[in-house]
Amino acid sequence: MSTFPDGIRFSVLDRSRTRVGEDAPQALRDTVRLAREIEGLGYHRFWVSEHHGVPGVAGSAPTVLAAAVAAATSRVRVGTGGVMLPNHQPLVVAEQFGVLESLFPGRVDMGVGRSVGFTDGIRRALGRDKDDADRFAEQLTELLGWFTGKQTAHPQVHARPTEGLRVPPFVLATGEGATIAAAAGLPLVVGDLRGRDRLLAAVDAYRCGFRPSPWADEPYVVVAGTVAVAATEAEARRLLIPEAWSLAYSRTQGVFPPLEAPERIEGLAMTERQRGFYESGLSGHVHGTEDQVAEALGRAVEETGAQEVLVTTSTYDRAALSESYRRLARAVGLTPRTA
Protein backbone atom coordinates (compact mmCIF):
# COMPACT_ATOMS: atom_id res chain seq x y z
CA MET A 1 0.00 0.00 0.00
CA SER A 2 1.17 3.54 -0.74
CA THR A 3 1.69 6.02 2.05
CA PHE A 4 -0.22 9.24 1.45
CA PRO A 5 0.78 12.65 2.82
CA ASP A 6 -0.66 13.57 6.19
CA GLY A 7 -4.03 15.22 5.86
CA ILE A 8 -4.88 13.91 2.38
CA ARG A 9 -8.64 13.50 2.04
CA PHE A 10 -10.75 11.14 -0.02
CA SER A 11 -14.30 11.99 -1.04
CA VAL A 12 -17.08 10.70 -3.30
CA LEU A 13 -19.25 12.31 -5.99
CA ASP A 14 -22.31 10.29 -7.00
CA ARG A 15 -24.14 11.25 -10.20
CA SER A 16 -27.32 9.27 -9.48
CA ARG A 17 -26.88 7.13 -12.59
CA THR A 18 -29.92 5.16 -13.67
CA ARG A 19 -29.83 1.47 -14.60
CA VAL A 20 -31.74 -0.40 -17.29
CA GLY A 21 -34.86 -1.83 -15.64
CA GLU A 22 -34.86 0.73 -12.80
CA ASP A 23 -36.59 4.09 -12.67
CA ALA A 24 -35.06 7.45 -11.79
CA PRO A 25 -36.60 7.63 -8.30
CA GLN A 26 -34.77 4.40 -7.44
CA ALA A 27 -31.49 5.96 -8.52
CA LEU A 28 -32.06 8.92 -6.22
CA ARG A 29 -32.94 6.69 -3.27
CA ASP A 30 -29.81 4.66 -3.92
CA THR A 31 -27.71 7.82 -3.89
CA VAL A 32 -28.98 8.52 -0.36
CA ARG A 33 -28.30 4.91 0.65
CA LEU A 34 -24.79 5.10 -0.78
CA ALA A 35 -24.15 8.29 1.18
CA ARG A 36 -24.77 6.41 4.42
CA GLU A 37 -22.26 3.76 3.38
CA ILE A 38 -19.68 6.36 2.36
CA GLU A 39 -20.04 8.11 5.71
CA GLY A 40 -19.48 4.85 7.58
CA LEU A 41 -16.36 4.08 5.55
CA GLY A 42 -14.72 7.33 6.62
CA TYR A 43 -14.77 9.39 3.43
CA HIS A 44 -14.57 13.16 3.93
CA ARG A 45 -17.33 14.43 1.60
CA PHE A 46 -20.27 13.11 -0.35
CA TRP A 47 -21.32 15.30 -3.27
CA VAL A 48 -24.12 15.11 -5.85
CA SER A 49 -24.31 16.50 -9.38
CA GLU A 50 -26.60 18.47 -11.69
CA HIS A 51 -27.83 17.19 -15.07
CA HIS A 52 -30.99 18.21 -16.93
CA GLY A 53 -32.96 16.08 -19.36
CA VAL A 54 -30.43 13.21 -19.42
CA PRO A 55 -32.03 9.72 -19.53
CA GLY A 56 -29.08 8.13 -17.74
CA VAL A 57 -28.85 10.59 -14.83
CA ALA A 58 -31.58 11.21 -12.23
CA GLY A 59 -29.89 14.03 -10.33
CA SER A 60 -31.41 17.25 -11.70
CA ALA A 61 -31.80 19.24 -8.47
CA PRO A 62 -28.54 18.92 -6.52
CA THR A 63 -29.39 21.16 -3.58
CA VAL A 64 -32.63 19.25 -2.99
CA LEU A 65 -30.79 15.93 -3.18
CA ALA A 66 -28.02 17.27 -0.93
CA ALA A 67 -30.66 18.09 1.69
CA ALA A 68 -31.91 14.49 1.59
CA VAL A 69 -28.34 13.19 1.89
CA ALA A 70 -27.57 15.51 4.80
CA ALA A 71 -30.75 14.45 6.59
CA ALA A 72 -29.81 10.78 6.21
CA THR A 73 -26.25 11.25 7.51
CA SER A 74 -24.67 12.99 10.47
CA ARG A 75 -20.94 13.55 9.99
CA VAL A 76 -19.84 13.33 6.36
CA ARG A 77 -19.67 16.70 4.60
CA VAL A 78 -22.40 17.12 1.99
CA GLY A 79 -22.38 19.25 -1.12
CA THR A 80 -22.65 19.65 -4.84
CA GLY A 81 -20.27 18.70 -7.58
CA GLY A 82 -21.71 20.89 -8.72
CA VAL A 83 -24.46 23.39 -9.23
CA MET A 84 -24.00 24.70 -12.78
CA LEU A 85 -24.12 28.40 -12.05
CA PRO A 86 -24.93 29.58 -15.61
CA ASN A 87 -28.21 27.63 -15.37
CA HIS A 88 -29.42 29.69 -12.38
CA GLN A 89 -29.73 33.13 -10.87
CA PRO A 90 -26.94 33.55 -8.28
CA LEU A 91 -29.45 34.85 -5.69
CA VAL A 92 -31.46 31.62 -5.88
CA VAL A 93 -28.33 29.48 -5.54
CA ALA A 94 -27.20 31.55 -2.56
CA GLU A 95 -30.60 31.19 -0.89
CA GLN A 96 -30.62 27.43 -1.40
CA PHE A 97 -27.21 27.02 0.20
CA GLY A 98 -28.18 29.39 2.96
CA VAL A 99 -31.10 27.14 3.79
CA LEU A 100 -28.88 24.04 3.63
CA GLU A 101 -26.29 25.57 5.93
CA SER A 102 -28.99 26.71 8.35
CA LEU A 103 -30.44 23.20 8.56
CA PHE A 104 -27.10 21.34 8.62
CA PRO A 105 -24.59 23.83 10.06
CA GLY A 106 -20.91 23.17 9.42
CA ARG A 107 -21.46 20.26 7.00
CA VAL A 108 -22.35 21.90 3.68
CA ASP A 109 -20.06 22.54 0.67
CA MET A 110 -20.98 24.70 -2.32
CA GLY A 111 -19.38 23.30 -5.46
CA VAL A 112 -20.22 25.29 -8.61
CA GLY A 113 -19.36 24.82 -12.28
CA ARG A 114 -19.61 26.82 -15.48
CA SER A 115 -21.40 24.36 -17.78
CA VAL A 116 -24.78 25.20 -19.25
CA GLY A 117 -27.59 22.90 -20.44
CA PHE A 118 -26.48 19.94 -22.60
CA THR A 119 -28.65 20.59 -25.70
CA ASP A 120 -30.30 23.58 -27.37
CA GLY A 121 -33.72 22.35 -26.21
CA ILE A 122 -32.61 22.03 -22.59
CA ARG A 123 -30.97 25.44 -22.67
CA ARG A 124 -34.16 27.00 -24.03
CA ALA A 125 -36.19 25.24 -21.32
CA LEU A 126 -33.82 26.67 -18.70
CA GLY A 127 -34.01 30.11 -20.29
CA ARG A 128 -30.28 30.03 -20.98
CA ASP A 129 -27.86 30.19 -23.89
CA LYS A 130 -24.36 28.80 -24.53
CA ASP A 131 -22.94 32.28 -24.06
CA ASP A 132 -24.13 32.35 -20.43
CA ALA A 133 -21.12 30.21 -19.53
CA ASP A 134 -18.90 33.17 -20.51
CA ARG A 135 -20.34 35.12 -17.57
CA PHE A 136 -19.27 32.57 -14.99
CA ALA A 137 -16.69 34.81 -13.30
CA GLU A 138 -19.25 37.59 -12.95
CA GLN A 139 -21.89 35.18 -11.65
CA LEU A 140 -19.43 33.70 -9.17
CA THR A 141 -18.58 37.13 -7.79
CA GLU A 142 -22.26 37.90 -7.33
CA LEU A 143 -22.89 34.52 -5.68
CA LEU A 144 -20.16 35.03 -3.11
CA GLY A 145 -21.35 38.59 -2.52
CA TRP A 146 -24.75 37.34 -1.36
CA PHE A 147 -22.97 35.55 1.51
CA THR A 148 -20.81 38.52 2.52
CA GLY A 149 -23.48 41.15 1.92
CA LYS A 150 -21.12 42.94 -0.52
CA GLN A 151 -22.75 42.10 -3.84
CA THR A 152 -23.34 45.20 -5.98
CA ALA A 153 -25.44 43.78 -8.84
CA HIS A 154 -28.67 44.41 -6.97
CA PRO A 155 -28.33 47.27 -4.44
CA GLN A 156 -30.40 47.07 -1.26
CA VAL A 157 -31.30 43.41 -1.92
CA HIS A 158 -30.22 40.83 0.65
CA ALA A 159 -30.18 37.02 0.54
CA ARG A 160 -31.98 35.44 3.48
CA PRO A 161 -30.94 33.41 5.43
CA THR A 162 -27.66 33.41 3.50
CA GLU A 163 -26.05 36.69 4.39
CA GLY A 164 -23.40 36.25 7.07
CA LEU A 165 -23.19 32.46 6.73
CA ARG A 166 -19.99 30.64 5.73
CA VAL A 167 -20.46 27.87 3.17
CA PRO A 168 -17.13 26.73 1.67
CA PRO A 169 -17.19 27.39 -2.10
CA PHE A 170 -15.39 25.20 -4.67
CA VAL A 171 -14.97 25.74 -8.41
CA LEU A 172 -15.28 22.72 -10.72
CA ALA A 173 -13.12 23.57 -13.68
CA THR A 174 -10.39 22.97 -16.21
CA GLY A 175 -8.62 25.49 -18.42
CA GLU A 176 -10.17 28.93 -18.10
CA GLY A 177 -12.20 27.83 -15.08
CA ALA A 178 -8.98 27.12 -13.19
CA THR A 179 -7.82 30.69 -13.72
CA ILE A 180 -11.21 31.97 -12.54
CA ALA A 181 -10.89 29.89 -9.36
CA ALA A 182 -7.38 31.27 -8.82
CA ALA A 183 -8.45 34.89 -9.30
CA ALA A 184 -11.36 34.41 -6.89
CA GLY A 185 -9.14 32.72 -4.32
CA LEU A 186 -11.26 29.55 -4.16
CA PRO A 187 -10.50 25.83 -3.90
CA LEU A 188 -10.29 24.05 -7.26
CA VAL A 189 -11.85 20.71 -8.23
CA VAL A 190 -10.19 19.47 -11.42
CA GLY A 191 -10.34 16.25 -13.47
CA ASP A 192 -9.83 13.86 -14.78
CA LEU A 193 -6.99 11.61 -13.71
CA ARG A 194 -6.68 10.15 -17.22
CA GLY A 195 -5.57 13.37 -18.91
CA ARG A 196 -2.60 13.89 -16.63
CA ASP A 197 -0.80 16.51 -18.74
CA ARG A 198 -3.91 18.63 -19.07
CA LEU A 199 -4.69 18.19 -15.39
CA LEU A 200 -1.18 19.24 -14.35
CA ALA A 201 -1.34 22.30 -16.62
CA ALA A 202 -4.62 23.39 -15.03
CA VAL A 203 -3.24 22.85 -11.51
CA ASP A 204 -0.07 24.79 -12.31
CA ALA A 205 -2.06 27.69 -13.78
CA TYR A 206 -4.29 27.71 -10.73
CA ARG A 207 -1.42 27.76 -8.24
CA CYS A 208 0.50 30.40 -10.17
CA GLY A 209 -2.50 32.70 -10.39
CA PHE A 210 -3.98 32.11 -6.95
CA ARG A 211 -4.80 35.21 -4.92
CA PRO A 212 -5.70 34.79 -1.24
CA SER A 213 -9.30 35.65 -0.43
CA PRO A 214 -11.64 35.67 2.55
CA TRP A 215 -12.55 32.12 1.49
CA ALA A 216 -9.05 30.60 1.27
CA ASP A 217 -5.59 31.73 2.30
CA GLU A 218 -3.77 29.38 -0.07
CA PRO A 219 -4.49 27.09 -3.04
CA TYR A 220 -6.49 23.94 -2.37
CA VAL A 221 -6.62 21.30 -5.11
CA VAL A 222 -9.09 18.44 -5.38
CA VAL A 223 -8.33 16.02 -8.22
CA ALA A 224 -11.31 14.02 -9.51
CA GLY A 225 -11.59 10.81 -11.46
CA THR A 226 -12.95 7.31 -11.83
CA VAL A 227 -11.48 4.69 -9.50
CA ALA A 228 -12.51 1.02 -9.54
CA VAL A 229 -11.22 -1.54 -7.04
CA ALA A 230 -11.86 -5.29 -6.99
CA ALA A 231 -10.20 -8.58 -6.06
CA THR A 232 -8.43 -8.69 -9.43
CA GLU A 233 -7.45 -6.17 -12.07
CA ALA A 234 -9.74 -7.87 -14.58
CA GLU A 235 -12.74 -7.60 -12.23
CA ALA A 236 -11.98 -3.93 -11.62
CA ARG A 237 -11.78 -3.25 -15.36
CA ARG A 238 -15.14 -4.96 -15.78
CA LEU A 239 -16.69 -2.35 -13.46
CA LEU A 240 -15.74 0.31 -16.03
CA ILE A 241 -17.63 -1.31 -18.93
CA PRO A 242 -21.15 0.12 -18.32
CA GLU A 243 -20.02 3.74 -18.17
CA ALA A 244 -17.67 3.29 -21.14
CA TRP A 245 -20.55 2.01 -23.26
CA SER A 246 -22.88 4.83 -22.14
CA LEU A 247 -20.25 7.35 -23.23
CA ALA A 248 -19.71 5.59 -26.57
CA TYR A 249 -23.46 5.47 -27.19
CA SER A 250 -23.89 9.14 -26.35
CA ARG A 251 -21.08 10.13 -28.71
CA THR A 252 -22.64 8.23 -31.61
CA GLN A 253 -26.38 8.50 -30.90
CA GLY A 254 -26.63 11.84 -29.08
CA VAL A 255 -28.35 10.34 -26.02
CA PHE A 256 -26.64 9.41 -22.75
CA PRO A 257 -28.39 6.17 -21.73
CA PRO A 258 -28.92 4.27 -18.46
CA LEU A 259 -26.22 1.84 -17.42
CA GLU A 260 -26.41 -1.71 -18.76
CA ALA A 261 -24.94 -4.98 -17.46
CA PRO A 262 -21.38 -5.73 -18.65
CA GLU A 263 -22.34 -9.15 -20.04
CA ARG A 264 -24.92 -7.58 -22.35
CA ILE A 265 -22.50 -4.90 -23.51
CA GLU A 266 -19.80 -7.46 -24.26
CA GLY A 267 -22.23 -9.19 -26.65
CA LEU A 268 -23.15 -6.05 -28.60
CA ALA A 269 -22.21 -5.58 -32.25
CA MET A 270 -20.59 -2.13 -32.17
CA THR A 271 -19.78 0.02 -35.16
CA GLU A 272 -16.13 0.85 -35.69
CA ARG A 273 -16.74 4.37 -34.39
CA GLN A 274 -18.59 3.10 -31.31
CA ARG A 275 -15.82 0.61 -30.62
CA GLY A 276 -13.26 3.39 -30.72
CA PHE A 277 -15.17 5.52 -28.21
CA TYR A 278 -15.83 2.46 -26.06
CA GLU A 279 -12.18 1.43 -25.86
CA SER A 280 -11.22 5.03 -25.15
CA GLY A 281 -13.76 5.10 -22.33
CA LEU A 282 -12.14 2.06 -20.76
CA SER A 283 -8.57 3.30 -20.91
CA GLY A 284 -6.58 5.34 -18.44
CA HIS A 285 -8.81 5.09 -15.38
CA VAL A 286 -7.36 4.10 -12.01
CA HIS A 287 -8.44 0.51 -11.48
CA GLY A 288 -7.13 -2.75 -10.07
CA THR A 289 -6.53 -4.42 -6.75
CA GLU A 290 -6.21 -2.45 -3.53
CA ASP A 291 -2.42 -2.39 -3.78
CA GLN A 292 -2.47 -1.34 -7.44
CA VAL A 293 -4.96 1.44 -6.85
CA ALA A 294 -3.18 2.74 -3.76
CA GLU A 295 0.06 2.95 -5.73
CA ALA A 296 -1.60 4.68 -8.70
CA LEU A 297 -3.39 7.22 -6.51
CA GLY A 298 -0.21 7.80 -4.55
CA ARG A 299 1.54 8.77 -7.79
CA ALA A 300 -1.34 11.05 -8.80
CA VAL A 301 -1.27 12.85 -5.46
CA GLU A 302 2.51 13.20 -5.62
CA GLU A 303 2.44 14.57 -9.18
CA THR A 304 -0.36 17.05 -8.59
CA GLY A 305 0.30 17.98 -4.97
CA ALA A 306 -3.44 17.63 -4.43
CA GLN A 307 -4.88 17.88 -0.94
CA GLU A 308 -7.91 15.75 -1.82
CA VAL A 309 -9.10 13.05 -4.22
CA LEU A 310 -12.75 13.04 -5.37
CA VAL A 311 -13.90 9.68 -6.74
CA THR A 312 -16.73 9.68 -9.31
CA THR A 313 -17.17 6.01 -10.21
CA SER A 314 -20.35 4.64 -11.84
CA THR A 315 -21.17 1.01 -12.68
CA TYR A 316 -24.25 -1.16 -13.25
CA ASP A 317 -23.88 -3.47 -10.25
CA ARG A 318 -24.60 -1.43 -7.13
CA ALA A 319 -23.23 -4.10 -4.80
CA ALA A 320 -19.98 -4.17 -6.76
CA LEU A 321 -19.80 -0.37 -6.59
CA SER A 322 -20.22 -0.44 -2.81
CA GLU A 323 -17.53 -3.11 -2.57
CA SER A 324 -15.21 -0.97 -4.70
CA TYR A 325 -15.63 1.92 -2.27
CA ARG A 326 -15.00 -0.41 0.68
CA ARG A 327 -11.81 -1.69 -0.89
CA LEU A 328 -10.69 1.83 -1.77
CA ALA A 329 -11.26 2.97 1.81
CA ARG A 330 -8.98 0.15 3.01
CA ALA A 331 -6.41 0.83 0.31
CA VAL A 332 -5.96 4.47 1.26
CA GLY A 333 -6.20 3.90 5.01
CA LEU A 334 -9.49 5.55 5.90
CA THR A 335 -10.75 5.12 9.45
CA PRO A 336 -14.32 3.78 9.56
CA ARG A 337 -16.88 5.79 11.48
CA THR A 338 -18.90 3.98 14.13
CA ALA A 339 -22.66 4.33 14.08
Side-chain angles (χ1 to χ4, degrees):
M1 301 280 181
S2 292
T3 301
F4 292 91
D6 290 342
I8 189 75
R9 293 164 167 168
F10 291 87
S11 300
V12 170
L13 165 64
D14 188 67
R15 293 187 294 142
S16 303
R17 292 286 273 114
T18 59
R19 275 77 173 166
V20 170
E22 294 182 356
D23 59 16
Q26 182 63 50
L28 294 172
R29 291 191 292 268
D30 279 320
T31 288
V32 176
R33 176 197 56 77
L34 180 62
R36 296 191 195 101
E37 294 182 9
I38 292 304
E39 177 176 61
L41 291 170
Y43 287 91
H44 184 60
R45 310 180 202 275
F46 186 90
W47 283 3
V48 296
S49 63
E50 175 183 339
H51 297 271
H52 297 282
V54 180
V57 184
S60 57
T63 54
V64 176
L65 185 52
V69 168
T73 57
S74 60
R75 282 173 286 179
V76 69
R77 295 196 63 85
V78 175
T80 55
V83 167
M84 296 299 114
L85 196 51
N87 289 337
H88 309 279
Q89 291 294 342
L91 170 61
V92 175
V93 175
E95 290 173 335
Q96 290 171 348
F97 279 98
V99 170
L100 280 171
E101 176 63 20
S102 299
L103 294 174
F104 309 101
R107 291 180 58 210
V108 176
D109 300 320
M110 182 174 64
V112 296
R114 64 188 296 267
S115 296
V116 73
F118 182 62
T119 66
D120 288 340
I122 292 172
R123 287 190 288 272
R124 285 195 297 271
L126 291 169
R128 294 296 183 265
D129 187 82
K130 277 185 177 180
D131 294 341
D132 284 307
D134 297 334
R135 299 180 50 245
F136 178 67
E138 173 189 337
Q139 294 167 326
L140 182 62
T141 297
E142 181 184 335
L143 173 64
L144 299 177
W146 290 115
F147 286 86
T148 62
K150 296 180 180 179
Q151 67 81 26
T152 58
H154 304 280
Q156 299 181 338
V157 180
H158 299 270
R160 309 294 186 198
T162 304
E163 192 171 304
L165 297 179
R166 294 281 296 186
V167 179
F170 295 76
V171 173
L172 282 66
T174 57
E176 181 183 351
T179 62
I180 292 172
L186 301 181
L188 174 72
V189 183
V190 59
D192 64 31
L193 290 171
R194 293 191 299 171
R196 196 62 57 86
D197 290 343
R198 183 181 178 189
L199 185 151
L200 291 173
V203 170
D204 287 345
Y206 167 69
R207 289 203 174 102
C208 288
F210 184 87
R211 297 188 301 188
S213 74
W215 303 97
D217 294 330
E218 57 189 25
Y220 187 92
V221 174
V222 183
V223 292
T226 294
V227 180
V229 196
T232 68
E233 185 175 356
E235 289 177 38
R237 186 179 186 275
R238 191 171 175 79
L239 296 179
L240 304 173
I241 289 175
E243 186 76 1
W245 169 244
S246 288
L247 289 168
Y249 189 90
S250 70
R251 292 288 184 87
T252 55
Q253 301 297 321
V255 176
F256 193 71
L259 297 169
E260 297 194 42
E263 53 269 23
R264 183 184 182 283
I265 295 168
E266 290 170 329
L268 291 174
M270 301 183 193
T271 66
E272 182 177 349
R273 188 162 178 261
Q274 284 177 332
R275 178 67 63 178
F277 283 127
Y278 173 69
E279 294 295 341
S280 176
L282 286 173
S283 67
H285 296 295
V286 175
H287 71 283
T289 64
E290 293 177 29
D291 285 344
Q292 289 172 322
V293 166
E295 182 179 354
L297 288 179
R299 288 197 305 270
V301 168
E302 182 178 3
E303 290 174 5
T304 61
Q307 288 98 330
E308 188 168 342
V309 177
L310 180 68
V311 182
T312 61
T313 308
S314 297
T315 195
Y316 177 82
D317 187 332
R318 296 187 187 279
L321 179 63
S322 293
E323 178 64 15
S324 178
Y325 281 127
R326 283 193 290 271
R327 289 179 178 273
L328 177 59
R330 287 198 299 266
V332 300
L334 298 186
T335 301
R337 294 183 177 96
T338 57

